[in-house]
Amino acid sequence: MTDIGFALEAKSDQLNFDDIADTDVVITIAEVRVKRGDQPVWVYFNGCNNRPWKPSKGMIRILAAAWGRDSSQWVGKSAKLYGDKSVKWAGKEIGGIRIRALSHIKQQGLSAMLTVARGKRHEYRVEFLSMERPVYPDDKFKQVLPSMVKKIIDGEMSIEQVVARCQITGDLTPNQLKELESSIPVNANDE
């Protein structure tokens, strides 16, 4: 059998709407790279498998309003992301990744005005993300790791979806994330 799971992934050099379309995922920022041009901010997070989140301009504005313009200060902070089917690009709904909640902001959350169309602005609310979370039990992790890896290899779930499902019970530890990532074969992006 020749598995085509990797071919089903959307542009696999980044976190995509399809990766988290039906779930919320909490990420903890490990590194931020800023470049000129299209998609200038690349947010690497624990467990990203070298597929950073490249936030839209509106979400970059939310991050800057919450944590400041110095992206090095974002490292170690967390965001709850979700897939929003109503995100438009070139006038068509294509789906996109939005921020639902952020750590290190006031408990009442954050509100900012974002441009949604030329001359049209809407209030965007971000909730406070408490980082007091349980840890995923290690014995359960060892028990379910083979099935997690199989779901990823078979293309049933992305690594982000597996991590999000685990977060219902508790956050994966850095060692658990490393073990999960190292258990997944790396696909070379030929084209």
Side-chain angles (χ1 to χ4, degrees):
M1 175 177 122
T2 305
D3 181 21
I4 63 158
F6 74 94
L8 299 173
E9 295 176 2
K11 190 175 178 185
S12 60
D13 68 336
Q14 67 183 28
L15 180 66
N16 291 290
F17 165 75
D18 291 332
D19 296 323
I20 63 170
D22 297 325
T23 189
D24 287 2
V25 62
V26 176
I27 65 167
T28 299
I29 298 171
E31 177 186 1
V32 181
R33 295 183 190 165
V34 181
K35 306 172 181 203
R36 296 253 181 239
D38 192 37
Q39 296 182 299
V41 177
W42 295 20
V43 178
Y44 290 83
F45 52 94
N46 299 336
C48 77
N49 207 20
N50 206 32
R51 293 177 62 224
W53 169 44
K54 298 177 183 176
S56 67
K57 188 159 311 268
M59 295 302 99
I60 294 168
R61 289 185 173 129
I62 293 295
L63 292 169
W67 298 332
R69 295 174 60 138
D70 180 358
S71 63
S72 69
Q73 297 301 306
W74 302 356
V75 174
K77 295 177 179 168
S78 297
K80 182 184 278 189
L81 307 177
Y82 71 100
D84 181 352
K85 295 176 184 172
S86 71
V87 170
K88 292 181 181 180
W89 187 75
K92 295 182 181 174
E93 285 189 2
I94 60 164
I97 298 173
R98 294 204 189 262
I99 299 167
R100 185 175 310 282
L102 293 171
S103 69
H104 299 83
I105 63 173
K106 293 179 182 176
Q107 284 196 342
Q108 66 262 31
L110 172 82
S111 177
M113 296 300 288
L114 293 182
T115 302
V116 293
R118 186 172 294 166
K120 197 173 177 184
R121 295 169 56 88
H122 285 282
E123 180 182 26
Y124 189 85
R125 298 262 326 133
V126 176
E127 301 167 2
F128 168 73
L129 177 62
S130 171
M131 292 312 295
E132 294 178 16
R133 301 196 22 86
V135 174
Y136 197 87
D138 205 46
D139 56 335
K140 183 174 182 177
F141 176 79
K142 290 185 185 323
Q143 180 184 4
V144 299
L145 177 62
S147 64
M148 287 187 226
V149 171
K150 183 175 181 348
K151 287 183 184 296
I152 294 168
I153 291 172
D154 291 349
E156 292 177 40
M157 297 176 82
S158 68
I159 188 171
E160 295 83 9
Q161 290 169 323
V162 168
V163 170
R165 184 165 292 169
C166 290
Q167 287 173 339
I168 295 168
T169 302
D171 290 341
L172 295 179
T173 67
N175 286 341
Q176 290 170 337
L177 280 169
K178 190 179 291 185
E179 189 172 349
L180 177 60
E181 288 175 337
S182 67
S183 299
I184 301 167
V186 177
N187 294 316
N189 274 342
D190 294 334
E191 305 213 332

